[in-house]
Amino acid sequence: MNRQRSVHPAVSFSAYLLAIAVPLVLALAIVGSSPALLAMVPEEHRGTVASFGEGAARVSGGDGGLFRPAHADAVNSTVPGTAVPLRGEWSPRRAADIQPPAGLIAGVDYAVEATEDGYLAHWPCEHEIPVRSYDAPPGSEPDLAWAVETLAFASGLPLRYAGPGAEGEREGDGAISVMYGDHPMFHTDPEIAGLGGVTVWPRGLVLQGSVTLRPDQINPVPGDAWTRSLTLHELMHAVGVDHAVAHGPEVMAERPGPHPPTILGYGDQFALRLVGCL
């Protein structure tokens, strides 16, 4: 005779908890790994939700995680020792996990923006990043387009020069705004010719960049070395690259030497690899 076996209450309770917890965790992981969805989360909860996305990425291998091939760092890299950012919606990167190649010194030859908890500030790789100009003086746009193309080639970031922007797009999310005009810092230090930077979200997510250039520092004749070097330097700030040592050979030198460089130095290239998508 067959007897029906009763289910222990503890088993039923555990199954009930799993039925609720698993979908909730999966939902948080999806939101936490998507910049678009994460932007809709209240600011005070973004860090918590973002941590679920990071955990999901590490388990799935989305950021290299548990299943990243051991040889991944050696694939498609022209700069020795550079980690290869994996393509995807977006995934966090820790500065401490990436060692510079021999001969390059952090803070001297290159520097990149990072959060207080050690995450590199970088843009998503799979969404076009339009670069728009505002109040551009005559002759400036060819040099701005050149700088955008130079950075896109060197970093793999999906940058595109989109021409003059509408006023409602100024400093908007998902884009870099290049403005020609006044800034309070220009009065604080008259030697400052331009400013650039990024807005950094939890774990280093970047969704906005801005540049302000002094119009009197822009040569009306396209191709001027100073104009190109200045524009390229400030745009590199807008993709997460910080200053190298002053008067050095890098475009990102804190203060330029007598001959402003227009060719990316070895440290510049490495920094762009760190924040880029190649």
Side-chain angles (χ1 to χ4, degrees):
M1 181 174 66
N2 293 329
R3 295 180 180 273
Q4 184 175 352
R5 298 182 61 183
S6 61
V7 180
H8 194 281
V11 176
S12 298
F13 181 70
S14 298
Y16 177 74
L17 282 180
L18 286 173
I20 295 175
V22 171
L24 177 60
V25 170
L26 288 175
L28 288 172
I30 292 170
V31 174
S33 60
S34 169
L37 295 176
L38 188 60
M40 294 186 288
V41 176
E43 187 172 355
E44 63 269 22
H45 301 306
R46 281 179 194 149
T48 301
V49 175
S51 66
F52 281 91
E54 180 183 1
R58 289 188 179 277
V59 172
S60 67
D63 68 339
L66 300 177
F67 303 106
R68 182 175 185 174
H71 63 282
D73 286 350
V75 179
N76 191 31
S77 175
T78 58
V79 181
T82 308
V84 179
L86 303 181
R87 289 183 175 273
E89 174 73 7
W90 188 83
S91 59
R93 306 171 192 167
R94 284 193 176 276
D97 295 337
I98 305 171
Q99 296 299 317
L104 289 185
I105 303 172
V108 176
D109 301 299
Y110 73 95
V112 288
E113 293 281 348
T115 64
E116 291 184 357
D117 48 355
Y119 288 104
L120 290 177
H122 63 288
W123 288 81
C125 291
E126 291 300 321
H127 299 277
E128 183 181 84
I129 306 168
V131 180
R132 304 185 180 103
S133 63
Y134 296 87
D135 304 316
S140 63
E141 293 202 48
D143 289 329
L144 176 56
W146 168 85
V148 172
E149 291 176 6
T150 298
L151 289 189
F153 181 82
S155 67
L157 285 162
L159 298 163
R160 179 181 66 86
Y161 177 56
E167 189 59 35
E169 298 172 315
R170 187 189 292 259
E171 297 189 279
D173 285 345
I176 296 175
S177 299
V178 179
M179 296 161 286
Y180 297 82
D182 199 12
H183 190 282
M185 288 295 293
F186 297 159
H187 302 280
T188 303
D189 185 349
E191 292 188 5
I192 295 177
L195 297 164
V198 290
T199 301
V200 185
W201 288 53
R203 299 184 300 159
L205 172 63
V206 172
L207 291 176
Q208 183 190 93
S210 65
V211 168
T212 303
L213 299 171
R214 284 175 50 180
D216 63 354
Q217 296 294 310
I218 305 300
N219 194 311
V221 179
D224 174 68
W226 168 251
T227 299
R228 286 193 166 190
S229 185
L230 171 64
T231 304
L232 186 59
H233 178 108
E234 300 307 338
L235 271 179
M236 288 178 71
H237 279 310
V239 298
V241 182
D242 210 341
H243 283 139
V245 69
H247 308 298
E250 311 295 335
V251 170
M252 288 309 292
E254 185 174 8
R255 290 181 179 273
H259 304 290
T262 58
I263 297 175
L264 295 169
Y266 199 27
D268 295 324
Q269 295 177 50
F270 180 70
L272 287 170
R273 284 276 180 162
L274 294 181
V275 302
C277 304
L278 292 173

